[in-house]
Amino acid sequence: MHNEVDHPTHYTDHPSEVECITITLHFSFNVGNAIKCLWRADKKGHPITDLRKALWYINREIERRSAK
């Protein structure tokens, strides 16, 4: 069911029919957000921006894990 708040199109139109949040809930915040950015990179009209955001979250996760 399409709903811009609960089920936005760019999260629910994957060919697998799996919703992005179903996957990202199993990861840390940073990794989950990186996946989300990659998942929607070609869906919102700004793929390079979303890929850069994914890298930003990945780099934060690397820093977080390196600080342990």
Side-chain angles (χ1 to χ4, degrees), residues 11-63:
Y11 291 172
T12 59
D13 67 350
H14 192 268
S16 69
E17 299 182 5
V18 174
E19 192 168 345
C20 183
I21 195 167
T22 303
I23 304 302
T24 61
L25 286 174
H26 300 281
F27 294 91
S28 69
F29 179 81
N30 289 324
V31 173
N33 275 343
I35 292 168
K36 179 178 72 172
C37 291
L38 294 169
W39 190 282
R40 69 180 185 196
D42 294 317
K43 307 291 183 195
K44 295 179 70 182
H46 304 285
I48 300 301
T49 299
D50 280 323
L51 293 173
R52 286 184 176 137
K53 286 180 185 179
L55 279 174
W56 187 84
Y57 283 111
I58 291 167
N59 286 329
R60 283 186 57 103
E61 185 65 13
I62 290 169
E63 289 174 19

